[in-house]
């Protein structure tokens, strides 16, 4: 219910506000052990799940309430970045750079979402949410903030002797998957896994007017699918950016009924 989701959003802010007034030493101790940050990040993950549900319901009034909450989380990301990797080693420096980059991308997408909500532009809102999801997932991975990691680095070997035609999906050549569709990955290290198509990233490469060496090259358009996988061994739903040609719509399910997909058995 909407009232419950609003209450959840409010509840998320209470521990954040309390944490910001903690003594610096207590904050650093909590962050260094990842205990405090893991709790905050897990709450933000649930918030983003609810945001997706309200986005797919196109509830513009409720969507507008997420923006202030997300903006208020900037100090959480900043403090974690600076205290979890405080050293002068190359590893710590590179980690801070990577984390700050993803924070910048995340909040750039948050502002993009705000503009889309103000204009009630559902396609732009979907694109902004997909960008937020990618940045948030990469921040968690770079910061070691997933509670656990799937020991299976690639599922392709499980399908080495399986004919792809035996899998249940709609061939992309016949019906390309659309945003919000339930999808199956047909190739790559996550072959056979299912999820929801959050977005399609289109990049155009090739001829550049500023470079005489490339003026005669044809323009090439590449498309990648942004997929939120169903819950796996990590207990969370990872985001994968994969070639769109390996993303296929599943049979029997048209659109994601909600932000929460079924658990894999």
């Amino acid at each position: 219910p909407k009232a419950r989701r609003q209450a959840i959003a409010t509840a998320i802010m209470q521990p954040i506000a309390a944490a910001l007034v903690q003594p610096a030493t207590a904050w650093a101790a909590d962050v260094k052990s990842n205990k405090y940050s893991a709790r905050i990040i897990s709450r933000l993950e649930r918030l983003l799940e609810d945001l997706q549900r309200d986005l797919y319901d196109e509830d513009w009034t409720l969507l507008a309430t997420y923006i202030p909450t997300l903006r208020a989380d900037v100090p959480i990301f900043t403090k974690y970045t600076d205290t979890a990797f405080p050293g002068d080693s190359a590893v710590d420096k590179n980690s801070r750079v990577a984390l700050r980059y993803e924070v910048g991308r995340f909040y750039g997408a948050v502002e993009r979402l705000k503009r889309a909500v103000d204009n009630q532009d559902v396609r732009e809102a979907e694109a902004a949410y997909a960008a937020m999801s990618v940045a948030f997932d990469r921040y968690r991975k770079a910061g070691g903030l997933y509670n656990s990691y799937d020991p299976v680095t690639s599922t392709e070997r499980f399908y080495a002797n399986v004919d792809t035609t035996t899998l249940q999906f709609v061939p992309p050549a016949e019906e390309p998957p659309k945003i919000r569709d339930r999808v199956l990955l047909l190739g790559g290290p996550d072959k056979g896994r299912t999820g929801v198509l959050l977005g399609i990233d289109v990049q155009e490469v090739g001829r550049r007017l500023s470079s005489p060496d490339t003026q005669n090259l044809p323009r090439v358009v590449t498309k990648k699918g942004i997929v939120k996988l169903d819950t796996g061994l990590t207990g969370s739903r990872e985001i994968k950016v994969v070639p769109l040609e390996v993303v296929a719509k599943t049979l029997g399910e048209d659109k994601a009924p909600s932000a929460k997909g079924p658990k894999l058995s």
Side-chain angles (χ1 to χ4, degrees):
K2 295 180 182 179
R4 180 176 177 276
R5 294 202 292 274
Q6 287 176 317
I8 291 173
T10 301
I12 287 172
M13 292 308 302
Q14 292 175 345
I16 294 174
L20 291 176
V21 298
Q22 288 187 64
T25 53
W27 173 281
D30 266 341
V31 171
K32 195 63 180 178
S33 66
N34 274 354
K35 291 180 180 178
Y36 176 76
S37 294
R39 292 198 302 270
I40 294 299
I41 294 298
S42 66
R43 291 189 180 103
L44 290 177
E45 181 182 17
R46 290 196 297 271
L47 183 70
L48 292 177
E49 291 277 353
D50 286 340
L51 194 162
Q52 181 183 332
R53 185 183 300 110
D54 292 328
L55 171 59
Y56 288 2
D57 288 341
E58 299 183 26
D59 190 328
W60 303 108
T61 300
L62 194 53
L63 282 170
T65 66
Y66 289 91
I67 308 302
T69 302
L70 292 168
R71 284 173 171 170
D73 294 338
V74 174
I76 299 296
F77 289 104
T78 301
K79 281 192 175 289
Y80 179 77
T81 299
D82 293 340
T83 55
F85 302 96
D88 293 326
S89 67
V91 171
D92 276 16
K93 288 181 179 179
N94 289 337
S95 294
R96 289 196 298 271
V97 169
L99 291 174
R100 287 168 182 160
Y101 175 73
E102 297 304 338
V103 170
R105 292 211 314 161
F106 181 80
Y107 280 100
V110 168
E111 295 307 311
R112 183 181 179 185
L113 177 65
K114 181 185 183 303
R115 292 191 295 271
V117 171
D118 290 343
N119 295 324
Q120 297 190 6
D121 185 337
V122 66
R123 296 293 169 253
E124 182 66 7
E126 288 172 337
Y129 178 77
M132 287 169 57
S133 298
V134 171
F136 184 66
D137 177 78
R138 290 179 178 174
Y139 183 92
R140 295 180 71 186
K141 288 173 179 173
L145 288 170
Y146 273 108
N147 293 328
S148 61
Y149 290 87
D150 192 337
V152 179
T153 57
S154 176
T155 58
E156 280 192 296
R157 67 178 184 272
F158 301 135
Y159 295 89
N161 299 314
V162 176
D163 188 343
T164 301
T165 59
T166 64
L167 301 176
Q168 299 294 307
F169 66 93
V170 180
E174 295 179 10
E175 184 180 348
K178 301 180 181 65
I179 295 171
R180 307 191 192 191
D181 278 347
R182 297 276 307 149
V183 295
L184 170 74
L185 299 186
L186 303 178
D190 293 292
K191 183 177 180 178
R193 297 190 66 180
T194 55
V196 176
L197 184 61
L198 296 183
I200 299 175
D201 183 35
V202 180
Q203 299 288 336
E204 188 174 8
V205 297
R207 182 170 58 87
R208 297 180 181 177
L209 295 177
S210 59
S211 175
D213 295 333
T214 63
Q215 285 186 7
N216 294 324
L217 293 177
R219 291 188 181 276
V220 177
V221 175
T222 63
K223 295 183 179 181
K224 293 187 176 182
I226 301 172
V227 178
K228 176 183 280 187
L229 296 178
D230 291 333
T231 306
L233 296 179
T234 65
S236 295
R237 301 184 66 186
E238 292 185 76
I239 306 297
K240 298 289 182 162
V241 181
V242 298
L244 191 60
E245 57 263 28
V246 305
V247 182
K249 180 179 176 180
T250 58
L251 288 173
E253 297 175 281
D254 290 331
K255 303 294 180 184
S258 69
K260 297 182 179 179
K263 277 192 174 184
L264 293 178
S265 57

